[in-house]
Amino acid sequence: MEQPPPAQDRDLDPQAQRRARYRELLGNITMEKDGAAESSNPNEGGAVLPPEFEDAHAAEATYKEPPPERWETIRTRLWVLVSFWLIAIFLGLPLWHATTTIYRAPLPMQEMQNWSEGKLCKTEFPLLVEVEAPSLPDAENLLKTVQHALDDANDFAAHKPHHLRLRLAAKKAKTSDEDSKAEKDENVACLLRLIPDSQNGFNHEVQSSSRIVDIHYPQPSSSSQSSVSAGLAKFVAETLEVLFSQEQELIEHLLLPQTSNPGSLNALSSQSAEEARDKKAPPRPRALAADISRRMSRVVKYSANYHLTFSLFTATSIPASWDIESAISNYLTPLLSALSPISNFTISTQVQYYASISSSVTPAYDEDLKSWVLKKEDLSSFINSAEWPLASISNDPNLNFILYVPHPSVSPLTIPSATHANSFLLPQWGGVTILNLGQNTDPLGHLSHPTLKPALETFATHLLALLGAPPHPASLPIRLDSLTRQRSAEVLVSASSTLGSLQRLVNALPSISVPSTVGTSVKDSIRHLSLACEELRKGRFVKALEMGRIAQEEAEKAFFERTMVAQVYFPDEHKLAVYLPLLGPVSVPLVLGVFREVKRVIAERKKARAG
Amino acid sequence: MISFSHRSRQWLSRSPLSLFSRLLTTITLLLCFTGSTTADTYDENLLLQPLSGQFLLASFNFQSLGPIQTFNKQLFELFPRSLGQILQYTHTRELHLRFALGRWDSELWGAQPGDGQNAGGTGVELWAWVEADDDAEAEARWTSLNNALSGLFCASLNFIDSTRTIRPVMSFSPTGDYPSTNSSRLFLLHGTLPKEPVCTENLTPFLKLLPCKGKSGISTLLDGHKLFDASFQSMSIDVRPICSPINGQCDIEIQQNIDMVLDISRSLQRKDSPVPRPRDQHELVCDTTKEYASNEYCYPLDNSFDLPWSLSDLFGRSIAGSCPFAVRHPPTPHVCIAAPKDRLVQPTEAATEAPSSPNGNRCYILQENQQFDVSLPKQEPPTIPLRKEPLLYAERSFTGHGQEHGGVKTVLRNPSAIDFIEVVYLESLPWFMKPYLHTLKAELLPPPRDPGDDHVISDLYYRPALDRKRGTQLEAKVIVPPNSVVILTYDFEKAVLRYTEYPPDANRGFDVASAIITVPPHRRRSDGKHVPATSIRTTSLLLSLPTPDFSMPYNVIIFTSTIMALAFGSIFNLLVRRFVAVDEVQRVDFKGKIAGLLGKLKKTKAE
């Protein structure tokens, strides 16, 4: 080590002189070196000098290698460092995660997907048809032939969910108790009555208020017995086909988007089904498909309860009142009671005076018809929703039926339509009938219930169309049965697709929270879906509809859970920004500490290698 | 399912329902006489009454009555379905809804129309009797009632939560009849929103509830621009069941009222020039008796003459014929003018004057599809307007200063010279205003001669607040002796709210709902006359609470974080650094490095 230049040297620059004086001043003040013995010598000890007093030379001169650290010190330092890091990683980070994470209840994702792809339930509608043929000797044989023909047709179009099964009505008595017990809850879809009739050839007649279908066939002479029975078999099969064709088309239409989901694993089978249809089945007429989708688009979402609102809107103050109470009980209540196994209805009525139609709707006078005619495009904006109080408070879906009495200045008001009824249907919303008051109105402006009859009958057909009942066959019970099946298919499809949407949503948005109620709802929904599927297979359609409805409700409850959107507005970046003033200054020394230790270890290694 | 009995509907002809027959007793009597309640009936009338000064009171009253059976079956005719469904859905048996704006100047204008029964406190006030099994169910139905009405009337009624709901004990009693309902199943709930600005969006749904919807009848006058330009206006809706004591037939009644006080000179000026401008000098009427009166100084004289006005001047239009549902045989008057006898009234020719009513009002019957207007010409000297002395004057104000404490002072003055008056004073205070009940004092002025005779408060009901759960409810039965003043005072403490509980305009202050002073129906001691139930509302108050600096939470987070980080950094460094002597520190020779770099640069440049 080099000694500093001697103080008494007069040739030195003034700075050196000052330095010398400073050193004198400091005298004995020296720093003790840890564990060093040579502290007794102040010169060797190297006094503390402010940097300005030290040039490069001097610095070199005063610098001393610190003594090697003791192993205990290094170990303590390492322990400190490691424990800080351990606390940060194993306590800090989990705590941070636990306090900021979003709760996501476990959902049966795979099962939900399977339901949405229609893999778990093959929808089937076994229909039981009873045949009553008292005058036919070989009824059994006939049934076999018909069943064969039907089965053939079914095989031929494998995708059809309907399975018609025939049974002799008389046979019921012979079956054992056990058998009848099992089949007791199975509903009979329709009863065929074979009646010999010599006058007209083969024809069928549907009774409008029961499930009985009469089939007339020519009285066979003994010679042409076999040919008649063959003809009869063919005719019965055709009749059944006609009876249920519309329903089949509808249900197929309902199930179609589900099975032909292109992304699903089911694509292969649905493709084959499609191929099969293309090859074998006669191509469905385009018009028919369009008709079905048009009809389906009008149908209101299924609910166990509906609220019906009958409103009389009049542009003036006349008519002032209407006999809606008795009109409803006379013309509508029978239909509603018939519909009660499917849905229940509550009713409210109102009269609104001085109700003007939307200002954008302007009827034009037609000289030929001697009436004011609304344009077709006006019908969609006919309802003046800004002014007409049509909203309903009830939780059930609301269907509106409006009887509109136009202002005398634009009366009679008609709509362009082929039918006689001056009414139109608003898809999924309700129906409107325009009533033109003639001269023979009550001077008091009271609409008596015979006047209301045509309007209410129109409303009844509107209601059936809105609920989705098929327009054929003529028998109301058969139509309602078919509506039940159609509705069950609908709720099944809708519940499964809701589950599928929920599954996709949860997958797509990782920041969304999934409360445990959603989990239970999903499980409930899936349970009821499988129950509904089972009931369908057994042919208990009303029960299936009920199960399906619960499944749908639960699925929607899960999907529309309110708390599932809240987290979107509180992003992680925000949380991080708020706590950055803490995290930044804390992490810098931690990281630097590690860095320094690593540097030291490397330096030691180098030294060891060099040494 | 559905089964109704056939019931023919006919227009009822009924004895005229006079203008002042709003009282239950009168209506019940009328119903008894007509005896038939098979159809909805509708009545509407308008009362125009010039008040002191240059003001005109216009009171619109619409009332419809229908059998409760069809109401329960949801077969609505004149009763609005939108409201009826809400009432049924929430099991509300009786509903009172008030929208009010402005202050009724009782010193100048006298008693409120309809004994104050149709007026509400500033903002929105709602009280209802809800049928329920227990308290929790009533609460749930009340919430859904508020939400539904909020949607129907475009008002923030949904903000009436448990903190703004009280259950008055002494102040209100049902005005409807409930023969079949057990009174223990009826729950009274009362909520106020003093901050709600009442405006056109509330008027439009109000008009939609009327059968004539502002297209004919007196409701054609109702226009948002004029109504909300008034000095005072109040809209009210009351629904209640009324039963005949004789045959037990029950009806459901809906009454809609609009009271407005128009400043005539302001309305006329609006008509002449839509932009307000100072009056020309020659239009000014100056009080020349003042000593400083000269050409330059003018002390305006208000009541020097009666201003001329007509309906079309004030409302911007005339009445477009009668509402067909309000036409009766024999005819009932639709428009009445309660002006002094010597004031000239000129209706349009089409109007039919009704036979003069006992109280001297001039009434007119509207004809269908015929415009109706009425004008009152300028009159000098001015007539003395009819003014009814109010039963009681009430004022309420804040006392005290500072951010922590405050006080409330209510002055009740009984103008009568001989009659004692017993009132129920109701305060509904927000939870962040915490009154000290022990400071509640009633002072009587002038002091009673007998010092033991100063028991002014005869009964007290107090329900203390719970933080963030419910507000304070204070009801006091106060007796005000004749010709004296009762001063009620109490102190309160202001709570400090949580950060998120402050509204966006926290420095504006928090509205405290009007106090409601109810005078129960009684028989006047001096002349034995029956005094109907009257209610008076004070103005609402604006309470200023200590407001924080709203950027504070972020500052606090950042500040705390920095301190924690500093502490952590120093402790951590103390633990992991090695301490050596200064001369043992390895120095980095910056000077040399920089010099070397510079030299390199120079070299490269030279090359």
Side-chain angles (χ1 to χ4, degrees), chain A residues 192-195 197 200-207 212-217 235-243 473-474:
Chain A
L192 294 182
R193 271 203 312 217
L194 302 182
I195 300 163
D197 179 6
N200 318 309
F202 290 114
N203 68 335
H204 72 262
E205 193 187 324
V206 183
Q207 297 199 355
I212 299 171
V213 178
D214 289 338
I215 291 185
H216 303 276
Y217 62 96
F235 184 71
V236 168
E238 271 170 12
T239 308
L240 287 173
E241 191 83 1
V242 167
L243 279 179

Side-chain angles (χ1 to χ4, degrees), chain B residues 32-257:
Chain B
C32 302
F33 286 132
T34 51
S36 164
T37 52
T38 51
D40 288 10
T41 52
Y42 175 74
D43 265 308
E44 59 176 29
N45 40 54
L46 166 66
L47 172 72
L48 297 162
Q49 181 185 3
L51 298 170
S52 316
Q54 308 294 298
F55 296 99
L56 173 76
L57 165 71
S59 272
F60 295 80
N61 175 246
F62 311 94
Q63 171 188 314
S64 82
L65 202 66
I68 207 157
Q69 288 86 357
T70 53
F71 173 81
N72 287 338
K73 275 188 253 173
Q74 301 209 8
L75 306 171
F76 299 107
E77 272 173 14
L78 292 177
F79 196 96
R81 168 179 165 271
S82 44
L83 184 62
Q85 266 198 332
I86 291 174
L87 298 183
Q88 296 211 329
Y89 183 74
T90 59
H91 297 82
T92 305
R93 298 288 167 255
E94 186 172 331
L95 173 89
H96 303 271
L97 178 61
R98 304 278 182 271
F99 296 91
L101 210 59
R103 169 177 162 263
W104 177 267
D105 189 348
S106 51
E107 298 278 352
L108 197 61
W109 302 334
Q112 280 207 20
D115 299 312
Q117 293 294 320
N118 304 323
T122 313
V124 180
E125 197 178 324
L126 169 72
W127 69 99
W129 276 267
V130 178
E131 190 176 339
D133 291 331
D134 52 32
D135 218 49
E137 195 180 37
E139 190 87 40
R141 284 177 178 169
W142 169 249
T143 309
S144 63
L145 172 70
N146 284 330
N147 286 330
L149 289 177
S150 162
L152 183 61
F153 289 103
C154 300
S156 357
L157 281 159
N158 50 326
F159 287 104
I160 297 183
D161 51 8
S162 64
T163 62
R164 289 166 212 253
T165 301
I166 55 167
R167 289 135 191 265
V169 176
M170 298 188 270
S171 298
F172 296 99
S173 51
T175 51
D177 302 325
Y178 305 94
S180 56
T181 318
N182 190 346
S183 64
S184 65
R185 280 176 55 80
L186 286 176
F187 291 84
L188 165 65
L189 294 119
H190 179 277
T192 47
L193 280 178
K195 203 185 167 183
E196 181 76 7
V198 181
C199 203
T200 321
E201 74 263 22
N202 308 120
L203 177 69
T204 314
F206 183 94
L207 288 181
K208 269 195 207 170
L209 299 182
L210 299 171
C212 286
K213 296 188 173 53
K215 301 259 171 65
S216 70
I218 58 170
S219 56
T220 43
L221 292 181
L222 292 169
D223 170 44
H225 293 98
K226 304 290 173 190
L227 177 63
F228 297 105
D229 192 38
S231 302
F232 167 85
Q233 67 86 10
S234 141
M235 297 194 285
S236 72
I237 295 176
D238 299 81
V239 182
R240 58 180 185 175
I242 290 175
C243 294
S244 148
I246 295 167
N247 53 12
Q249 275 277 354
C250 287
D251 279 317
I252 185 110
E253 183 205 60
I254 175 167
Q255 282 218 36
Q256 289 176 261
N257 276 292

Side-chain angles (χ1 to χ4, degrees), chain A residues 182-250:
Chain A
E183 287 178 352
K184 206 178 241 173
D185 12 83
E186 207 168 351
N187 297 322
V188 177
C190 77
L191 177 68
L192 294 182
R193 271 203 312 217
L194 302 182
I195 300 163
D197 179 6
S198 47
Q199 284 161 13
N200 318 309
F202 290 114
N203 68 335
H204 72 262
E205 193 187 324
V206 183
Q207 297 199 355
S208 65
S209 56
S210 68
R211 292 189 179 81
I212 299 171
V213 178
D214 289 338
I215 291 185
H216 303 276
Y217 62 96
Q219 184 71 51
S221 58
S222 54
S223 61
S224 59
Q225 179 84 37
S226 61
S227 75
V228 164
S229 111
L232 181 61
K234 190 163 168 271
F235 184 71
V236 168
E238 271 170 12
T239 308
L240 287 173
E241 191 83 1
V242 167
L243 279 179
F244 295 107
S245 68
Q246 204 153 28
E247 180 197 337
Q248 268 185 351
E249 298 279 1
L250 267 173

